Amino acid sequence: MQPLSITTTKLCKSVPYGDGARAILSDVSLNVRASSITALIGRSGAGKSTLLRCLNGLDTIDSGEISIAPKSETQQRLDVAMIFQAYTLLSRSTVLQNVCLTITLQGTTLTDAHTQKAMQLLAEVGLSDKANAYPSELSGGQRQRVAIARALMLDPGLLLCDELTSALDPKTTVEILALLKRVNKDHGVTIILVTHDMDVVKEVADTVCVMDNGYIVEQGSVIDVLIKPKHAVTRQLIDATTGGALPAFISDRIQANQAPNADVVLKLIFTEESSTKPIIAAVATTFNVCFSIIAGSLDNLSDQHANHMFGHLWVSCTPNDKLEAAIHYMTDHGVGVETLGYIVWE
Ligand SMILES: Nc1ncnc2c1ncn2[C@@H]1O[C@H](COP(=O)(O)OP(=O)(O)O)[C@@H](O)[C@H]1O
Ligand SMILES: [Mg+2]
């Protein structure tokens, strides 16, 4: 199966609610390139799982269009595989039988070729020695590996993963995400991954789509969205992960209104490209805007990206009439700038 691309146009879905209806998905227009890893991120209840189920045909839409390309002879359902947070393995079947389940569920009789293929997939996910084990004998990470092998049995062109790593510890999460990247590369399969964790996005995705309240509020390359988050929810999700947030003893003192003697507080976001230029020095000499550094952090992006590092720097300065020009200068030179508010230093 070749990798599939998927486009949705203005998907809407609502559910009955009291006398009326409640919107779950509103005008969802999503673009997923073939062979990409797209992360679908948002807070709990945003509509991510519902959208995945609609893409897979497990749930119906009220209006809009879903188009998957290239169209194939076989049923669309078979070209799209799905993995959930709950491992959904049969407890009384062995690992090998679980991997072959997709074949037997279709009513196809298992052949030696199927078994061989299942064994090869188990080798790929590092579980050759567990073929005859039962799910209860496996760790959470190992069960998720079985689920991945099973999903690959029918050579899907699109793999949908719903909170695949949410129940796993950080180390196992990194291992499973590495496996997904390998599967994406070796099998050329397009992956859509639902998560509420920006660290997962940074680790594995090349494109990200942010959902809130049934809407897509932001969509773009991971690096662009991380550097220039447009929506408040995106900023919250970024801040919730390590390095995103300002220490509370400072953020608690930042005010929206400018008091006399107040300094303005900015958050600067550097990429590899902008971090090698003397931008802060240039701003000081050209615009007479001198920054005090409040806090800083460095972050790492997955090796799918051209830029590997990016950093946050929180600074304050006495506002002057050139501040706006200084901010323009910085954004022109690839630095993301967010004005957080005002602070009075005692
Ligand atoms: N079948 C359903 N009937 C009623 N409400 C539903 C149904 N499915 C989902 N919802 C509601 O739709 C919203 C989105 O749910 P979901 O897609 O599970 O969000 P997420 O996966 O982003 O946490 C939630 O408020 C949820 O309660
Ligand atoms: Mg969900």
Side-chain angles (χ1 to χ4, degrees):
M1 184 72 217
Q2 52 180 318
L4 298 172
S5 70
I6 187 159
T7 308
T8 75
T9 317
K10 291 184 178 275
L11 292 192
C12 291
K13 178 180 183 64
S14 53
V15 293
Y17 186 73
D19 289 338
R22 191 171 137 248
I24 307 281
L25 298 177
S26 303
D27 284 337
V28 170
S29 296
L30 177 75
N31 247 311
V32 175
R33 270 179 301 110
S35 298
S36 68
I37 302 184
T38 297
L40 206 56
I41 188 171
R43 297 179 293 193
S44 179
K48 307 180 296 290
S49 297
T50 306
L51 176 56
L52 271 206
R53 284 199 305 271
C54 289
L55 296 182
N56 201 14
L58 291 173
D59 212 336
T60 56
I61 51 174
D62 300 341
S63 62
E65 231 177 90
I66 301 175
S67 70
I68 295 184
K71 286 198 166 58
S72 74
E73 306 272 304
T74 53
Q75 284 171 286
Q76 178 180 313
R77 280 284 294 276
L78 298 180
D79 299 337
V80 181
M82 187 138 169
I83 315 173
F84 302 91
Q85 174 182 348
Y87 318 107
T88 59
L89 302 181
L90 296 183
S91 58
R92 292 189 191 176
S93 300
T94 64
V95 163
L96 182 62
Q97 285 164 342
N98 267 288
V99 174
C100 292
L101 196 67
T102 20
I103 306 292
T104 44
L105 274 182
Q106 286 183 79
T108 309
T109 312
L110 275 188
T111 62
D112 284 349
H114 290 131
T115 309
Q116 251 172 36
K117 180 166 182 181
M119 285 307 294
Q120 187 203 323
L121 287 169
L122 281 174
E124 251 185 75
V125 301
L127 288 179
S128 295
D129 55 335
K130 298 286 183 194
N132 296 314
Y134 287 87
S136 61
E137 303 168 70
L138 303 181
S139 69
Q142 289 172 329
R143 288 179 208 183
Q144 215 49 300
R145 286 171 188 272
V146 177
I148 293 172
R150 183 175 61 190
L152 295 173
M153 250 330 251
L154 290 177
D155 296 316
L158 175 62
L159 187 59
L160 306 175
C161 308
D162 196 354
E163 303 278 7
L164 191 65
T165 56
S166 297
L168 304 177
D169 62 73
K171 182 168 171 282
T172 312
T173 294
V174 170
E175 288 166 7
I176 292 290
L177 295 178
L179 174 60
L180 273 191
K181 279 196 259 188
R182 192 142 47 77
V183 163
N184 166 257
K185 230 167 134 198
D186 295 351
H187 293 255
V189 58
T190 309
I191 296 178
I192 304 179
L193 185 112
V194 161
T195 180
H196 59 270
D197 183 351
M198 199 52 97
D199 277 337
V200 169
V201 177
K202 288 185 211 162
E203 186 69 34
V204 74
D206 39 47
T207 309
V208 60
C209 171
V210 186
M211 285 189 77
D212 193 45
N213 204 14
Y215 289 89
I216 291 183
V217 294
E218 194 152 351
Q219 192 167 180
S221 78
V222 172
I223 189 96
D224 283 350
V225 170
L226 284 175
I227 291 169
K228 290 183 194 138
K230 294 191 192 85
H231 199 273
V233 164
T234 316
R235 283 197 279 274
Q236 275 170 24
L237 290 165
I238 293 173
D239 287 350
T241 62
T242 44
L246 189 61
F249 72 92
I250 297 203
S251 59
D252 288 350
R253 291 178 52 190
I254 295 180
Q255 308 196 333
N257 298 322
Q258 184 174 11
N261 313 329
D263 274 3
V264 61
V265 181
L266 303 176
K267 177 167 152 187
L268 309 180
I269 305 160
F270 291 87
T271 60
E272 234 158 10
E273 183 203 351
S274 54
S275 64
T276 53
K277 295 178 196 150
I279 290 169
I280 290 191
V283 165
T285 52
T286 315
F287 304 97
N288 199 25
V289 170
C290 298
F291 291 127
S292 305
I293 294 174
I294 301 173
S297 72
L298 264 185
D299 227 317
N300 225 332
L301 276 183
S302 127
D303 57 6
Q304 322 241 358
H305 305 274
N307 293 304
H308 292 278
M309 302 290 290
F310 72 103
H312 293 91
L313 201 59
W314 287 269
V315 296
S316 71
C317 66
T318 310
N320 67 14
D321 54 359
K322 299 221 182 82
L323 179 59
E324 208 171 311
I327 289 175
H328 271 293
Y329 177 88
M330 290 191 284
T331 48
D332 282 351
H333 285 77
V335 179
V337 183
E338 257 176 67
T339 305
L340 301 181
Y342 298 89
I343 194 164
V344 178
W345 301 111
E346 338 258 329

